[in-house]
Amino acid sequence: MPGHVKLGKSGEPDPDPSPYLCVSMEMKREAQAKPYDSKKSYWCPDGAGGFSECLLQSDEGGKAIVMIGHEKKTFKSDQVGQVNPPKFEKCEDMANLTFLNDASVFWNLKTRYQAKLI
């Protein structure tokens, strides 16, 4: 059963888990430096089962035209989702996300995993 092996010597207190659970101030500052436009920052499908960050050009008649790098692509409006503000980067409780969509949840899990916060 996972977790049944105690690290360290018997009688010693458990190691402090907070470095693996809490987002540090350096991580928060790094996330705040990321460029973000609340009206234009969106997620769109990348064709490989994931999502790419893109900029919304227009959203009319159920069709969203987005810019991924220097390439324009068209998607159905319900396939694109807004990006959360940088203050929610590596958020511990995903119920607090402003935009709770698949791409935002996957991105949050990916960034927390890469930062060894999971």
Side-chain angles (χ1 to χ4, degrees), residues 79-90:
Q79 288 182 313
V80 296
Q82 285 189 277
V83 174
N84 285 295
K87 73 177 185 177
F88 292 110
E89 194 81 13
K90 299 177 185 83

Side-chain angles (χ1 to χ4, degrees), residues 4-71:
H4 73 285
V5 178
K6 182 172 168 97
L7 299 176
K9 298 176 181 169
S10 60
E12 284 184 0
D14 289 336
D16 183 25
S18 59
Y20 303 105
L21 299 175
C22 301
V23 180
S24 68
M25 287 306 293
E26 294 83 31
M27 289 182 194
K28 287 182 182 182
R29 278 191 217 109
E30 182 182 318
Q32 292 292 339
K34 179 181 166 187
Y36 172 76
D37 183 356
S38 62
K39 303 286 186 198
K40 292 187 173 191
S41 294
Y42 275 76
W43 295 110
C44 65
D46 66 1
F51 296 91
S52 297
E53 199 167 346
C54 59
L55 293 175
L56 183 71
Q57 297 290 314
S58 68
D59 188 6
E60 297 171 358
K63 298 246 180 200
I65 299 171
V66 297
M67 200 71 157
I68 305 171
H70 297 290
E71 184 180 354

Side-chain angles (χ1 to χ4, degrees), residues 89-110:
E89 194 81 13
K90 299 177 185 83
C91 182
E92 295 162 9
D93 185 1
M94 285 190 255
N96 294 334
L97 294 176
T98 304
F99 306 109
L100 190 59
N101 50 45
D102 289 348
S104 294
V105 171
F106 292 150
W107 178 256
N108 192 40
L109 288 171
K110 178 183 175 184

